[in-house]
Amino acid sequence: MSQQKGPAQPDPPKRFQDFFVLTSGAVAGLALVFLTGAIGLGEWAIGAVVMTAGALAFYVGSAPAPEKQGIAPVLETPPSPPTQRAEDSVEPFILALPLPALLISREGQIVTANKHARNLFRFEPSNLTFPVAVLRQPDLLDAAERVGRDGANERVEFTQHGDAEVWMAHVRPGPASGSVLMVFEDLTAVRRAERARADFLANASHELRTPLTAIGGFIETMRGPAKDDKEAWEGFLEIMSQQTERMKRLVADLLSLSRIEFSEHRAPKTQVEVGQLTRDTSQALIPIAEEAGITLHFESPDIAIHAIADDDEIAQVIQNLASNAIKYARTDGNVRIEVGIAATMADAATASSRQSPGAKRSLLLQPYASAGAPAVWVRVTDDGEGISESHLPRLGERFYRVDESRGGKLEGTGLGLAIVKHIMARHRGGLAVESREGHGTAFGIWMPRLKDDARSETV
Ligand code: ADP
């Protein structure tokens, strides 16, 4: 450390020498003046005293200033920085993390928590410290205590907000001894997807096992008790053939669904004339409708309506909705398939519903496309039994059937509407159902169409 020096001061022997020379010189000088007779003895004595006093004053004045001891000059030593807490070093990272995170001190206080953590555990305000007990998760508190004590990392899965959410806490030692850092990962969507996959597999296996069990049962009967009853065989073979067809439909629907789910995030690229496509698909269903005694009506404006779409998939949507309508229409009833255009997607959502008095409506798929885009809609209406209000929102779930016995009798797979929903999602479109028990049902789909000017550019 450097010592700052003051002005130079004469050292003591030199100062005394100066005093002595000065005094004796002055006294001797006065003596010579006295000897010349210019001054008297009295004047010589006064002069000698004054000179000696002056030299003495010089001697005292030239003494060095006493050193100031114990108090360091302000500029000599720079101030030492305040001691930084180890917790402070991680605080900016905790606050910047996009995941909930918090730091617990050795004393069991939450000393830092970002806003995601405060939302997750619902504690406020942010600037106070809280005892760790506010986390109200016994497993988490136990893990925090062990990690603070032993310093080994732990992971704890827990549910939050009335089991609606599943979270994983990564618990690890914090920067200061005994402190604990927690970072939380939201597993809700992962667990939900795992559950849906497990349910789907269970349902699909069940649906395939039912016809297989029937076929297996008939084979056993034909080999055993009905071995020689060739007349009965005809009936058995007919049922086995129906069950085989059912299995084929189920496998085909499962394959369609998986293919559509796979491509759902890739937008279609081809230009399709939706009016013509709907007319062609409807006409192909006339024989099935006639067989069931149903009259099929088709209405479309006399203009070409273009959209960027996958024609096979849109044909499948029309086919699934129309064959359901034929299946569930009243005997000798009517099924109506209508196509229309609307200035906006929002208008198409309204236009695609029949808005019949007393009917209940449910939006099964909210479109991704902007509400202001020009749109095309298709509505399929039947005059069948209708669907009760409580079932409407669940239509489109895989394997969901309103009436199991009715669905089974009519040979449905419970996948048709799920396929429609996924195809419309890929086309950024919407799906809605409207029904009144005893009066019939209408399904509406809508999606963006090309504006006339955009169409002439791309044709
Ligand atoms: P399914 O192959 O069983 O018809 P869907 O997914 O197409 O499967 O339909 C699911 C269920 O919705 C059907 O089982 C039926 O209960 C009900 N449903 C669908 N369309 C109609 C309709 N037009 N009228 C009455 N109920 C319908």
Side-chain angles (χ1 to χ4, degrees), residues 3 8 21 52 58 146 158 227 235 240 308 317 328 428 443:
Q3 285 278 340
V21 169
T52 307
F58 170 77
R146 281 193 301 274
F158 63 97
K227 200 172 171 186
M240 286 165 75
I308 299 297
V317 165
Y328 298 107
R428 299 187 301 136
F443 281 90

Side-chain angles (χ1 to χ4, degrees), residues 324 327-328 382 387 395 400-402 406 412-414 416-417 443:
N324 270 355
K327 202 156 59 177
Y328 298 107
D382 66 63
I387 305 167
L395 296 175
Y400 187 78
R401 291 202 194 97
V402 172
R406 192 179 67 176
T413 61
L417 290 177
F443 281 90

Side-chain angles (χ1 to χ4, degrees), residues 246 249 253 320-329 380-382 384-387 394-404 406-408 410-420 433 435 440-443:
R246 180 172 161 73
R249 272 198 308 275
D253 278 357
N320 285 8
L321 294 180
S323 46
N324 270 355
I326 293 167
K327 202 156 59 177
Y328 298 107
V380 180
T381 314
D382 66 63
E385 283 179 35
I387 305 167
R394 294 202 59 191
L395 296 175
E397 287 179 21
R398 292 179 271 194
F399 298 111
Y400 187 78
R401 291 202 194 97
V402 172
D403 176 349
E404 280 291 331
R406 192 179 67 176
L410 292 168
E411 297 175 347
T413 61
L415 292 173
L417 290 177
I419 290 172
V420 168
V433 60
S435 192
T441 305
F443 281 90

Side-chain angles (χ1 to χ4, degrees), residues 47 73 88 93 113 137 141 204 329 448:
D88 296 343
F93 298 101
Q137 289 287 346
L141 298 179

